[in-house]
Amino acid sequence: MAANLTPQYLAAEARYRAATTPEEKLAALEEMWRELPKHKSSEKLQADLKKKLSAARKALQQVERKGPGQANPFSIPRGGAGQVVLLGTPNVGKSSIVGGLTSAHVKITEYPFATALPVPGMVHYEDVQIQLVDTPPVTADDVPAGFPGLWRSADVLLVVADLASNSVLEDVETCLNHLAERNVELTDGPREHPAQPGAMLKVPGLVLANKIDAAGADERLELLRELVGTRARIEPLSTRDPERMARLPELFFKLVRVIRIYAKPPGKKPDLADPFILPAGSNVHELARKVYHGHEHRVRAARLWGSGVADGQNVELDHILHDKDIVELHT
Ligand SMILES: Nc1nc2c(ncn2[C@@H]2O[C@H](COP(=O)(O)OP(=O)(O)O)[C@@H](O)[C@H]2O)c(=O)[nH]1
Ligand SMILES: [Mg+2]
């Protein structure tokens, strides 16, 4: 049970949740295993960890067997609170965005096609991290093999437009057409799975209209708004403007549609350093499932400090949680 877990275990678990490579995942799981108290009340957790360890070992073996050149480079394990994937034609500023917000080693060049493989980095937003993936460019007649799979699996998809370029309208149209050909469209709302086969998958996302600092950018932005119409929201950006760049992490956080919940053991202070990340709209029961890993049936009551209720108010298990709520679970 969670109360017996050591801080080292919880730290390793946080690393596991943030891990982006099979090596990191396995290392974190091995540490969790070493730190897990091996007694009766943690049996379910032990079994769960064993399963995860064996899956992580297999995943790593597979990567090693295939060799670096053969694994699908676009299969990028999610890290942090969600995965944000960039999509754009050459030279629009994709790598500049990732380079400006993360410590990932991206190449920023004045010549196109410098990014041959996707490069993930982590963006910090308050107490969470969000994964941001730099990607190779698409053109009207070339989409790198494997890339469309990432469009479908991403939590958020951002089409990057270049307002310094006279071809910005065509280039954005190219990206939206590639998505439409794979039955993907952007939505300003929550992710929507196709109602019937062949229908559109709606992935949360928007058009980041970069280089708003360039000459003629304002006029191009107006034309772009007319072209895109209701198909996507448009957010202007300049990677050279620190204020606009500083607003991106919050934008990403809103688009990944998750909430941070701080779990509080009865009679103790909440752990404000390490929130549980849940999909927006989750309730107390779903939090219990995340905290107690299969023992959630033991949670019978909860008290909540946060939005819309009096401090410490008792709430039902189906109570919908909000970002930054503090919850005390009673077994
Ligand atoms: N004026 C202007 N240039 C930019 C901006 N962002 C990126 N660039 C330049 O655009 C070029 C391509 O950038 P890069 O990030 O490599 O684009 P990518 O090919 O989409 O990854 C580089 O010369 C950047 O310095 C911006 O906001 N304003
Ligand atoms: Mg690039």
Side-chain angles (χ1 to χ4, degrees):
M1 140 162 199
N4 296 337
L5 298 173
T6 64
Q8 288 84 350
Y9 176 93
L10 296 172
E13 190 184 36
R15 274 204 301 283
Y16 172 68
R17 275 188 264 146
T20 52
T21 65
E23 288 87 350
E24 285 168 6
K25 279 214 161 98
L26 183 59
L29 285 168
E30 282 172 342
E31 168 100 44
M32 284 160 71
W33 178 254
R34 278 195 297 276
E35 287 295 331
L36 183 67
K38 313 286 188 309
H39 48 58
K40 191 112 187 97
S41 73
S42 72
E43 263 172 4
K44 179 87 203 324
L45 199 49
Q46 290 180 44
D48 187 50
L49 251 186
K50 270 192 197 158
K51 245 188 252 162
K52 282 195 180 128
L53 268 167
S54 128
R57 287 196 184 109
K58 254 188 224 145
L60 189 59
Q61 273 169 6
Q62 252 164 19
V63 172
E64 283 167 352
R65 211 175 301 138
K66 277 187 185 157
Q70 284 173 37
N72 176 6
F74 286 93
S75 157
I76 298 182
R78 249 194 190 69
Q83 185 179 61
V84 177
V85 171
L86 301 183
L87 164 64
T89 50
N91 252 8
V92 294
K94 300 178 292 299
S95 299
S96 301
I97 297 169
V98 179
L101 296 176
T102 78
S103 52
H105 296 286
V106 294
K107 267 191 231 157
I108 297 161
T109 62
E110 278 165 35
Y111 57 90
F113 301 101
T115 311
L117 292 172
V119 180
M122 295 306 269
V123 178
H124 298 269
Y125 173 65
E126 296 182 347
D127 51 3
V128 288
Q129 303 207 50
I130 299 163
Q131 188 184 46
L132 178 64
V133 186
D134 189 18
T135 56
V138 299
T139 61
D141 30 46
D142 182 55
V143 172
F147 195 4
L150 190 56
W151 304 342
R152 304 186 69 89
S153 63
D155 295 313
V156 174
L157 207 45
L158 301 177
V159 170
V160 185
D162 178 354
L163 294 175
S165 162
N166 281 323
S167 64
V168 61
L169 300 183
E170 281 161 65
D171 292 344
V172 169
E173 199 64 61
T174 292
C175 294
L176 295 177
N177 285 342
H178 281 314
L179 290 177
E181 275 168 30
R182 270 82 175 182
N183 288 342
V184 176
E185 61 185 30
L186 302 179
T187 175
D188 202 21
R191 186 183 195 84
E192 275 178 57
H193 292 276
Q196 70 263 0
M200 288 286 176
L201 168 70
K202 294 189 182 176
V203 179
L206 45 77
V207 174
L208 273 183
N210 190 30
K211 309 196 192 179
I212 188 73
D213 59 282
D218 291 333
E219 293 78 10
R220 292 194 193 94
L221 178 61
E222 280 320 302
L223 296 173
L224 186 61
R225 287 196 195 283
E226 278 170 38
L227 170 88
V228 171
T230 55
R231 283 182 291 169
R233 176 177 150 195
I234 298 179
E235 285 292 328
L237 174 71
S238 166
T239 63
R240 305 202 169 157
D241 177 347
E243 267 174 49
R244 287 185 190 270
M245 286 295 276
R247 289 202 286 268
L248 288 181
E250 183 180 8
L251 177 71
F252 297 169
F253 181 76
K254 286 191 173 143
L255 288 166
V256 295
R257 289 176 173 269
V258 293
I259 51 173
R260 293 161 285 181
I261 305 297
Y262 307 95
K264 170 186 176 314
K268 293 203 182 127
K269 289 219 167 88
D271 180 2
L272 293 178
D274 190 20
F276 285 88
I277 306 292
L278 294 164
S282 296
N283 61 24
V284 174
H285 181 74
E286 278 142 354
L287 170 70
R289 202 185 295 156
K290 190 127 195 179
V291 175
Y292 284 89
H293 308 274
H295 285 284
E296 63 271 13
H297 56 276
R298 289 168 41 188
V299 174
R300 311 230 173 257
R303 292 175 70 198
L304 192 146
W305 288 254
S307 48
V309 299
D311 274 356
Q313 184 179 315
N314 293 316
V315 291
E316 301 291 324
L317 296 183
D318 63 358
H319 180 87
I320 302 287
L321 296 168
H322 295 95
D323 187 36
K324 291 190 169 176
D325 280 351
I326 297 172
V327 181
E328 186 176 273
L329 297 173
H330 293 255
T331 52

